[in-house]
Amino acid sequence: MPRWENDNTEEIKKGKNLKSKIRIKSFYKKTPLRKETQPVAPAGPFQLDDFQAEAIEAVLAGRNVLVAAPTGTGKTLIAEKLAEKLMDEGMGLIYTSPLKALSNQKYADFREMFGDERVGLVTGDVTINGDAMLTVMTTEIFRNKCFEDVEQLANIAYVVFDEIHYLDDPHRGTSWEEAILFAPPHMKILGLSATVPNVKEMATWIAEVRNAEVLVVEERKRAVPLEINWVTPDNEIINEHEAKRQVKKLSDKRKEEQEEYKARKRNKFYN
Amino acid sequence: MAKPRRFKDPAEIVELIQDKLPALYFVFGRAKTEEMAFEVGKEWDFLYPDEKERVRKMITDAEAEHPDMFVHRDRAMLKRLLMQGIGYHHAGLSPALKRIVERLYESRLIWVLFCTETFAAGVNFPASSAVFESCRKWDGREFRQLLNREFFQMAGRAGRRGFDEQGHVYIQISAEHPDETGFFKESEVEMVHGRLAVSANTVLSLLMWKSDQEIDHFLKSNFSAFQKRRRLKDINRKITKLHNKQQQLQEHFCEEQQSTSCPLIRKKLKRELHKLKSRKYRQMPGSQSRIAEIENTLSLLKKKKCKNVQCFDAAREIKEINNRLELLHYKKKQMEYDAKQYTIDFQKMRTLLQRLGYVKERELLPRGKFALHLHVQEIFVTELVFSGLIEDLPADEVAGILAGIDYVPGRREYIQIPPYDFDVVNKLRAELMEMGVPQDYMVWSPVPGYLAYAWYNGKEFDHLLDNCSLQEGDVVSVIRREIDLLRQMEKAAVDNPVLLEKLRGIRRTLDRDQVAVLF
């Protein structure tokens, strides 16, 4: 497969009568350096992380669990294992998510996993198979059920609160609180949260208002560690220490420029 | 000179990180995602011919279902960009477009995706790297720096499990606004706070379904109250600790502490004496007698020869502790007041509802029973119904009016003026205001009215877009929000078959074509 290296910027830069850096748009576009083959995800049975194993064991034993782990560490897997077990036992599960868009996507995922008949979706503006064993809904809808349709929840063993740290959201937080306070006492809670410093406090609160024990499973390590770098205006990749220096330098320069500009304006005015 | 651009050329950043793709390029602003994708598209093409073929096929399949998905606005450009492995994603896109972009991304056919924060709130879309064009966002009220929590929600998308050993995150430093560069720490992620708000629905639901005891539990045990109680406990603990310390410090004093033989007291008296003898105080009435009195006491008792002068330090420390105690007592008072806030809010709302005829003691009156099923602008929607407007006005106008519930138009937003008279609604709001209903409980705008009105009357989606400055996604969201509201109202109107039929009719007419939910 032909690849063209067509960036002739350098040559232009060297040209004597061209002062500015002009980039000539060539007919062929640039292509990235790409490995011939894409890395393939390791096959074979998926090794559970310790925190996943711990949380799964706890929910399978019927305990209230609050899991806090960074994004992308596979919290959903815990809910999936729980769903499998409950559906085998003929018990129901409600999965709530903070956003409508998220509910739709979770619904699609679960449907693929458990089949059309066994999965439902209820949001404010759509209801599909609302009496299914596993129903995905927004937290608002679940909160409403806790007030209005309590009998409907008789066969539901667990409620999963995805992204439970949204409790902090000034607009939506109320539904979470009301749902946690008023979910029927027979229902167990599985809360999935991003890492926040006061998970234990949240758990203590849930335990207190629901008068039940809540296990906290915390994972601080990311599945893939992050490396954060900064990019300078001159397109150099630098680390935090250098970035702080660079920012200081730039902002000093910026202030100077502004002073100068003001002074110039003043001079113009007086002269 | 070249026209100054609002951002640095993203094509150069792509060059820098070309071996760490796919990348999610976070940008705060929809227009910016589009412009930046366009810039990269000028210089880069990420796909091999066979991959282009796959993209073409996926797009063709999607177009078979939604023929007009790439027709509106500048979306034809997006189609061309997708063929080069570049995309953008934001709330202004139609659901069909968002879906195809997400699918292509999942199929690893998009190498650089310019997106807003919402993409990170979605389900799992990991990338090899995440780039932040800036760390400043508009949060609905003001521009502010990202919270640590928000940053890591997005940055955490970098690093695909099983593919990458590391997730790469890049934050761009702007030469114009260097101070806005973000430095974030995962160890400094913000705490979660309780944010409960007492709405009309909260009060009605509690009165309808819960006992007094449960209501009390609710008002006192919500997360925010729980947190305040804990802080209060902390404060009390600190206060007791300081008190104990004070007690201990007292032990450093001898029995002569209160008498003038104690150097501490002598020092204090001498200071006073010095002050009284100064020019300023000399002439004041009573000064002379006080001077005599102090001189007398000082001469009466001999100064004690203290061997142990720890009492000096202790006195100083006690003074410090007193200051701290004062502050803690102030905090405690504040916190105790805050803890009662929910009870006060509840009472206020309950009184308002009582005055407006929604409740009588614990009983829900017809208005209250209606509002019980509503979750947006409960009072205003109920009043619209009970004033007879919804039943009297033609269905298309009702559709238009309901679209404006809880809607706050953007600054430069334009929508065709609706061809019906909505003064009646404004009049109703004015009346309610006179009755003491706060503005927050009747948020309504005539602006989106035309969209629902025309859509109800069978106009094409294109017609809506031609008559407003909104993007496809926003138009869809206006109508879907109304559908949500209509469902709530239908639930509330079960006892009124005529109204119910009318509402259902409107909802069914609105819920079609481009606006219907996709799966």
Side-chain angles (χ1 to χ4, degrees), chain A residues 20-37:
Chain A
S20 58
K21 297 175 190 173
I22 302 171
R23 224 181 204 174
I24 290 189
K25 294 269 172 321
S26 44
F27 176 73
Y28 294 113
K29 295 196 168 161
K30 290 196 276 188
T31 54
L33 302 169
R34 225 164 110 171
K35 290 169 195 145
E36 266 319 301
T37 48

Side-chain angles (χ1 to χ4, degrees), chain A residues 44-99:
Chain A
F46 209 132
Q47 183 73 39
L48 284 181
D49 283 337
D50 289 348
F51 89 95
Q52 285 171 321
E54 187 187 348
I56 289 170
E57 196 191 312
V59 285
L60 293 188
R63 302 176 63 179
N64 293 294
V65 182
L66 188 53
V67 184
T71 36
T73 39
K75 277 172 282 188
T76 325
L77 186 75
I78 301 159
E80 286 167 13
K81 293 280 179 214
L82 173 64
E84 264 173 28
K85 180 211 172 205
L86 290 177
M87 305 234 286
D88 280 349
E89 287 173 358
M91 294 300 283
L93 172 93
I94 285 178
Y95 192 102
T96 75
S97 74
L99 307 167

Side-chain angles (χ1 to χ4, degrees), chain A residues 30 34 49 125 168 205 235, chain B residues 15 43 46 51 161 221:
Chain A
K30 290 196 276 188
R34 225 164 110 171
D49 283 337
D125 57 10
D168 199 300
W205 171 64
N235 285 345
Chain B
E15 173 119 44
E43 299 197 22
F46 299 102
E51 291 167 328
R161 209 178 183 170
S221 307

Side-chain angles (χ1 to χ4, degrees), chain A residues 47-160:
Chain A
Q47 183 73 39
L48 284 181
D49 283 337
D50 289 348
F51 89 95
Q52 285 171 321
E54 187 187 348
I56 289 170
E57 196 191 312
V59 285
L60 293 188
R63 302 176 63 179
N64 293 294
V65 182
L66 188 53
V67 184
T71 36
T73 39
K75 277 172 282 188
T76 325
L77 186 75
I78 301 159
E80 286 167 13
K81 293 280 179 214
L82 173 64
E84 264 173 28
K85 180 211 172 205
L86 290 177
M87 305 234 286
D88 280 349
E89 287 173 358
M91 294 300 283
L93 172 93
I94 285 178
Y95 192 102
T96 75
S97 74
L99 307 167
K100 209 153 59 182
L102 256 170
S103 308
N104 294 354
Q105 195 130 18
K106 284 282 184 236
Y107 167 66
D109 289 350
F110 280 127
R111 207 172 48 165
E112 210 161 279
M113 225 171 287
F114 298 110
D116 290 6
E117 278 94 70
R118 298 165 77 191
V119 184
L121 172 72
V122 187
T123 64
D125 57 10
V126 62
T127 300
I128 302 167
N129 204 8
D131 304 322
M133 301 280 277
L134 167 54
T135 341
V136 180
M137 55 182 77
T138 51
T139 318
E140 277 92 356
I141 297 285
F142 175 66
R143 174 264 182 211
N144 297 346
K145 282 193 189 299
C146 290
F147 279 102
E148 296 161 27
D149 310 312
V150 191
E151 312 84 60
Q152 263 188 42
L153 301 174
N155 276 325
I156 313 286
Y158 260 95
V159 55
V160 180

Side-chain angles (χ1 to χ4, degrees), chain B residues 86-102:
Chain B
I86 302 159
Y88 61 81
H89 186 284
H90 58 68
L93 300 185
S94 70
L97 269 182
K98 269 189 267 185
R99 176 58 60 90
I100 183 82
V101 171
E102 286 161 14

